[in-house]
């Protein structure tokens, strides 16, 4: 299946998880198309000064995880009591139970892949 960017709607989430400004999300794979592997597969953008709030990762009690892969821009990634600067090609992994957040510290949009995977994939039937 081929999907073009123009055919994948962008959803704007203001003040995501108590963060600043907004995050735009664009799904490239729907949850029901993932063969039970996860809930979100997409590209996200965050404007300069934007963030998603510092929060505990608790997608579901089963122990899901969220992955972020930086495509372009600069971010501060907050993980428990650590803060790291991320740039293109860097990866941020957030399993359930981990406190985390991310902020765009650059002067251009932060663009990243966001994938929410299930610990115990579902039967796609």
């Amino acid at each position: 299946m081929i999907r073009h960017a123009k055919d994948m709607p962008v959803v704007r989430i203001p003040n995501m998880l108590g963060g600043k400004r907004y995050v735009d999300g664009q799904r490239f794979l729907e949850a029901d198309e993932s063969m039970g592997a996860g809930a979100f597969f997409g590209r996200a953008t965050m404007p300069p000064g934007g963030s998603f709030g510092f929060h505990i990762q608790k997608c579901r009690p089963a122990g899901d995880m969220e992955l972020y892969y930086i495509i372009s821009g600069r971010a501060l990634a907050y993980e428990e009591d650590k803060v790291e600067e991320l740039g293109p090609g860097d990866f941020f992994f957030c399993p359930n139970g981990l406190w985390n957040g991310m902020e765009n510290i650059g002067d251009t949009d932060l663009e990243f892949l966001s994938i929410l995977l299930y610990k115990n994939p579902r039967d796609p039937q």
Side-chain angles (χ1 to χ4, degrees):
M1 176 180 294
I2 295 173
R3 288 198 174 111
H4 296 276
K6 66 180 178 57
D7 298 325
M8 294 179 281
V10 174
V11 175
R12 178 159 290 178
I13 305 165
N15 308 104
M16 185 172 179
L17 298 166
K20 297 178 271 183
R21 302 196 69 194
Y22 59 86
V23 176
D24 285 341
Q26 183 178 39
R27 281 184 196 267
F28 52 76
L29 183 67
E30 296 297 327
D32 62 353
E33 297 170 320
S34 76
M35 298 176 56
F40 185 84
F41 302 84
R43 180 182 67 88
T45 56
M46 187 185 296
S51 68
F52 60 79
F54 192 63
H55 66 287
I56 190 165
Q57 192 72 31
K58 55 179 181 178
C59 305
R60 293 177 324 124
D64 297 342
M65 64 198 78
E66 192 150 19
L67 314 170
Y68 304 103
Y69 177 83
I70 307 300
I71 298 169
S72 63
R74 291 182 31 230
L76 278 184
Y78 301 90
E79 178 184 67
E80 298 286 326
D81 59 352
K82 296 183 284 187
V83 179
E84 295 272 343
E85 186 170 328
L86 302 178
D90 291 336
F91 176 75
F92 185 21
F93 167 71
C94 304
N96 256 14
L98 182 80
W99 282 90
N100 69 92
M102 193 160 60
E103 177 179 5
N104 182 349
I105 59 169
D107 55 5
T108 62
D109 282 351
L110 174 66
E111 183 179 10
F112 55 99
L113 295 179
S114 177
I115 301 171
L116 196 154
L117 295 175
Y118 295 141
K119 178 179 180 181
N120 299 310
R122 272 81 168 158
D123 181 353
Q125 300 293 333

